[in-house]
Amino acid sequence: MSESAPLRIGILGAARITERSLVAPARAGGHRLVAVAARDRSRAEAFAAAHGVERTLGSYADLLADPEVEVVYNPLANGLHGPWNLAALAAGKHLLTEKPSASNAAEAEEVMLAARASGTVFMEAFHYLFHPVTRRLHELLASGELGELRHAEAMVAIPAPEADDPRWSLPLAGGALMDLGCYGLHALRMLAPWTGGAPRVVAARAGERAGAPRVDEWLDADLSFPGGATGTARCHMAYDHLEMSLRIVGSRGEATAPNFVLPHMDDRVVVRTGSGERAERLGTRSSYAYQLEAFAARVRREASLPLDADDAVATMRLVDACYTAAGLGPRPRTER
């Protein structure tokens, strides 16, 4: 197949995030939205009409069986990521899944093994990693301008979703850490080249959502790195405003991305050293656009990717460790 051939994408569900995370980047990149399936077919039909999807199918299984669908995008509720990721890989599809890839580390390991067996491309959608904002933070560490990394802190918080939102459901693997905090943990994991290795959880604290036992409304985790640096990853799903910041502190200076998760809303990297303070602008092009470009390059040209199923397992092990340290326990597995 031609290296420039458009991806033929099938969408599981009619999630609201899909317009921003997939539809717009696919249109910009000239890719085809071949099919969408939802539990309620009328929702799928409305979604297809609104977003130019070529056709609707009667079930998720029908979508996975469709020979014209070569790439599956999974934006379902967290607890449904693992089961349908396994099904998509078993069907031989390339897979772009929303994070996290599974409900817990044990299930993520099953997904990893399925991805290896399938021989297809698997990627967890940590889109922030592809944006120049995050790349610049890493460049500042690699260049030595900030000196030796001493501390890193991430805060990812949003105002509360509605009470019936699946993100508040334990059976659907809900919680602030699953929906938001995984970004912070992943961002700290990506600092391993400058910290002597991956971080470990030292302690964690959490507050349960009223009426939803074991579902974290907020969670704070303390981490340590092999080289002596420390980290904090905080998340809150009932905050008074949106905050998605990442700050790295070195021996000679520090740098902050005010919104590393959604840099199209704020593309600054603020650098403070002994020479003064400056704000660099890295561009408001969507991180989702960069992500789909990288994914397509892997599928069509076998270009390298910084994310794979092994990376997804490492993140889920850290998520489980946070939940265990906070006394809530890992999220339960959800059946299809």
Side-chain angles (χ1 to χ4, degrees):
M1 184 171 290
S2 168
E3 290 186 357
S4 60
L7 298 178
R8 304 188 310 275
I9 305 170
I11 303 166
L12 295 176
R16 285 172 294 182
I17 189 178
T18 306
E19 179 176 4
R20 181 174 73 239
S21 61
L22 182 77
V23 172
R27 284 176 178 163
H31 301 294
R32 289 175 58 195
L33 301 177
V34 171
V36 60
R39 293 188 185 275
D40 178 349
R41 185 154 190 166
S42 64
R43 286 194 65 211
E45 290 171 347
F47 184 93
H51 301 301
V53 181
E54 295 173 20
R55 50 196 166 85
T56 61
L57 294 172
S59 69
Y60 300 155
D62 289 343
L63 186 139
L64 298 186
D66 191 315
E68 196 170 11
V69 172
E70 63 171 338
V71 172
V72 170
Y73 174 61
N74 184 355
L76 300 172
N78 289 336
L80 297 176
H81 289 171
W84 287 105
N85 286 346
L86 289 168
L89 293 167
K93 306 299 185 183
H94 300 297
L95 179 61
L96 176 62
T97 178
E98 278 303 324
K99 46 75 200 164
S101 68
S103 296
N104 52 53
E107 189 177 40
E109 289 174 7
E110 292 184 37
V111 173
M112 174 191 69
L113 293 174
R116 289 178 180 175
S118 73
T120 57
V121 177
F122 170 95
M123 193 175 85
E124 194 174 25
F126 279 112
H127 53 95
Y128 82 93
L129 191 61
F130 297 93
H131 197 276
V133 161
T134 296
R135 295 209 308 270
R136 182 57 179 149
L137 291 175
H138 294 172
E139 287 170 359
L140 289 166
L141 287 170
S143 72
E145 182 176 0
L146 303 181
E148 181 182 344
L149 183 61
R150 299 283 177 78
H151 180 71
E153 55 191 40
M155 172 61 164
V156 186
I158 62 171
E162 296 296 326
D164 62 351
D165 193 288
R167 286 173 286 182
W168 296 125
S169 168
L170 182 64
L172 288 174
L177 183 61
M178 293 290 284
D179 191 62
L180 303 171
C182 59
Y183 279 110
L185 290 179
H186 194 270
L188 294 187
R189 282 192 54 245
M190 293 299 101
L191 300 177
W194 303 282
T195 57
R200 67 179 182 88
V201 177
V202 175
R205 302 155 297 281
E208 292 178 296
R209 178 70 171 176
R214 290 184 59 201
V215 176
D216 47 313
E217 184 172 278
W218 61 269
L219 189 145
D220 296 346
D222 303 324
L223 300 99
S224 66
F225 293 89
T230 59
T232 59
R234 301 173 58 209
C235 57
H236 204 307
M237 206 156 65
Y239 210 51
D240 60 0
H241 65 280
L242 184 146
E243 181 175 344
M244 297 182 170
S245 60
L246 177 61
R247 176 174 174 250
I248 53 177
V249 181
S251 57
R252 292 201 288 268
E254 65 177 69
T256 299
N259 194 334
F260 79 103
V261 177
L262 298 174
H264 65 276
M265 296 176 63
D266 188 338
D267 65 334
R268 290 177 298 155
V269 169
V270 180
V271 184
R272 298 180 181 89
T273 66
S275 301
E277 177 179 318
R278 69 180 188 273
E280 301 181 4
R281 295 279 184 176
L282 281 303
T284 57
R285 185 172 185 251
S286 167
S287 51
Y288 295 108
Y290 286 104
Q291 172 179 259
L292 191 59
E293 281 183 352
F295 184 82
R298 178 72 178 90
V299 171
R300 290 288 180 253
R301 303 194 300 276
E302 298 188 357
S304 62
L305 274 178
L307 301 172
D308 58 16
D310 294 276
D311 182 82
V313 171
T315 298
M316 281 311 303
R317 286 175 178 161
L318 209 55
V319 169
D320 282 5
C322 288
Y323 275 130
T324 299
L328 298 181
R331 307 296 83 180
R333 187 177 185 135
T334 304
E335 298 302 324
R336 284 197 285 166

